[in-house]
Amino acid sequence: MMKKPFGILPDGSVPSLYTISGDGITAEISDYGATLVRLYVPDRQGKLADVVLGFDDPNRYAASTTFFGATVGRNANRVGGAAFRLNGRECRLDPNDNGRNNLHSGWAYYKDRLWTVAQAEESRIRLTLSSPDGDQGFPGNAEISVTYALEGQTLRIRYDAVCDADTVFNLTNHSYFNLAGHEKCGKAMEQVLCMPARFFNPADAESIPTGELRSVEGTPMDFRTPKPIGRDIGEDYDALRLQGGYDHNFEVYTMPCAVLSDPESGRTMEVITDCPGVQFYSGNFLQGEPGKDGAIYIHRSGICLETQFYPDAVNHPRWPQPITRAGETYHSETGYRFFCAPE
């Protein structure tokens, strides 16, 4: 494990960048935001490429709302009306999305906090964060940890949390993947995605789920047979029009819940999780973001496969609920397994 400084923040604090290694793959994680900054994966010829979008400086992470590589919590994704009820009490969150809804728990993002490194080894790192009662509007004093571990050619991300009151825990990682290499911005939509999901959650114009669980059958949302991401993204279909592309939760039906592959390099990534849903986002709001190594992240330069509870689940009691009771332990794991497909 290697540790080095990672820039200086306006308050004078100095984040660090930690390098962990596995079987031919390497990851760089910062304690600023518990962020996955780089992930090097080999192609068919053994050539390494960094396959996640990101920045060279922590101040760029602080200024950006892309959430590149960030650990997101207490609740990932959206809450309609920026409010929900828990044990008969209304919990009010920041209306930081369209002035009415809550996105990724509000302005006090976990991505903008320095986490504590509790353990750092050759192939794993564990980071912790204390979140006090009322933080972001959520009840209870919470202790949260995220562990990044390279096991063979799998990047495994483990989340654990406990709180002294009933609360919401729904953590995810917000990495944008481009298996051709993060700087090859025009290649992301050519990559092939397979998801066995039978249904997805349509959303309104503000990306709040309508409550419908709609079949993917006969729609551009059907990825049960592998297809290039860009093939149907321009179809005249209500879900795609409203969100400007793919930005929807899909059911997790079987494992792997998603397989992404780059035909040119052969790099392939399987996503395995214990979460009930995966938010597939096609980078619709990227608009020339200056990134690592001089890259410019144009429209749809990378895709997210964010494993989590369904968006706005706290306001849809029939869906799986992200509620953890006082004193109980929240635990979730997601693995990204890499290999190369034959030519």
Side-chain angles (χ1 to χ4, degrees):
M1 190 279 300
M2 183 175 67
K3 174 186 175 182
K4 62 183 179 182
F6 186 48
I8 302 175
L9 295 169
D11 65 0
S13 57
V14 181
S16 296
L17 197 62
Y18 295 80
T19 301
I20 60 173
S21 300
D23 183 12
I25 64 175
T26 301
E28 294 182 1
I29 294 103
S30 177
D31 51 4
Y32 186 66
T35 299
L36 178 62
V37 175
R38 295 180 183 270
L39 181 61
Y40 293 97
V41 177
D43 66 6
R44 290 190 189 97
Q45 283 71 48
K47 182 180 179 182
L48 292 172
D50 179 7
V51 298
V52 293
L53 278 58
F55 300 115
D56 293 316
D57 186 287
N59 293 286
R60 293 289 298 126
Y61 283 101
S64 175
T65 57
T66 58
F67 293 88
F68 288 155
T71 297
V72 181
R74 286 188 199 186
N75 182 70
N77 218 309
R78 290 174 169 83
V79 175
F84 64 96
R85 298 191 70 81
L86 179 59
N87 298 336
R89 168 193 167 192
E90 185 179 57
C91 299
R92 301 291 308 178
L93 312 177
D94 291 337
N96 67 322
D97 189 45
N98 289 310
R100 287 177 291 277
N101 307 310
N102 178 267
L103 175 63
H104 296 330
S105 299
W107 299 116
Y109 300 123
Y110 284 3
K111 79 176 184 69
D112 296 329
R113 306 188 193 188
L114 269 177
W115 292 54
T116 298
V117 175
Q119 180 185 22
E121 300 175 358
E122 186 68 25
S123 62
R124 71 177 54 230
I125 181 170
R126 183 168 67 89
L127 305 102
T128 63
L129 182 73
S130 295
S131 178
D133 180 39
D135 186 16
Q136 303 172 317
F138 295 101
N141 298 290
E143 298 296 329
I144 300 163
S145 76
V146 57
T147 302
Y148 291 91
L150 289 175
E151 300 173 1
Q153 291 198 310
T154 299
L155 173 63
R156 194 172 303 279
I157 306 177
R158 169 177 172 159
Y159 308 93
D160 294 280
V162 66
C163 190
D164 61 5
D166 294 357
T167 196
V168 170
F169 285 128
N170 178 27
L171 293 113
T172 195
N173 181 273
H174 207 297
S175 287
Y176 293 62
F177 294 96
N178 182 345
L179 298 187
H182 79 96
E183 76 286 359
K184 295 185 178 180
C185 301
K187 296 290 187 178
M189 293 299 101
E190 298 174 11
Q191 287 163 34
V192 174
L193 180 64
C194 179
M195 289 193 294
R198 300 164 298 175
F199 64 77
F200 74 102
N201 297 119
D204 63 19
E206 295 182 351
S207 296
I208 303 301
T210 63
E212 179 187 0
L213 303 179
R214 186 184 297 179
S215 172
V216 301
E217 182 75 35
T219 78
M221 317 301 282
D222 193 347
F223 284 87
R224 291 174 297 177
T225 298
K227 66 180 179 181
I229 294 167
R231 192 186 77 181
D232 298 331
I233 202 169
E235 290 289 308
D236 186 17
Y237 182 66
D238 62 341
L240 293 174
R241 288 197 310 271
L242 286 168
Q243 272 63 63
Y246 297 107
D247 191 6
H248 304 83
N249 176 73
F250 289 75
E251 70 156 339
V252 169
Y253 177 55
T254 189
M255 293 298 120
C257 66
V259 180
L260 180 67
S261 61
D262 175 49
E264 186 173 325
S265 69
R267 294 187 187 94
T268 301
M269 180 180 78
E270 293 182 340
V271 183
I272 299 169
T273 188
D274 55 11
C275 292
V278 56
Q279 184 83 8
F280 167 39
Y281 172 52
S282 53
N284 310 315
F285 295 105
L286 295 177
Q287 299 290 348
E289 194 88 25
K292 294 178 291 188
D293 310 318
I296 302 295
Y297 300 135
I298 59 173
H299 188 49
R300 297 174 179 161
S301 291
I303 75 153
C304 302
L305 293 164
E306 305 159 65
T307 56
Q308 56 192 251
F309 285 90
Y310 298 178
D312 200 32
V314 287
N315 289 315
H316 296 269
R318 292 180 298 171
W319 294 352
Q321 289 296 296
I323 307 301
T324 297
R325 300 301 174 186
E328 294 181 353
T329 298
Y330 164 86
H331 173 80
S332 180
E333 291 190 26
T334 294
Y336 300 95
R337 175 180 174 260
F338 294 92
F339 61 93
C340 280
E343 291 189 77

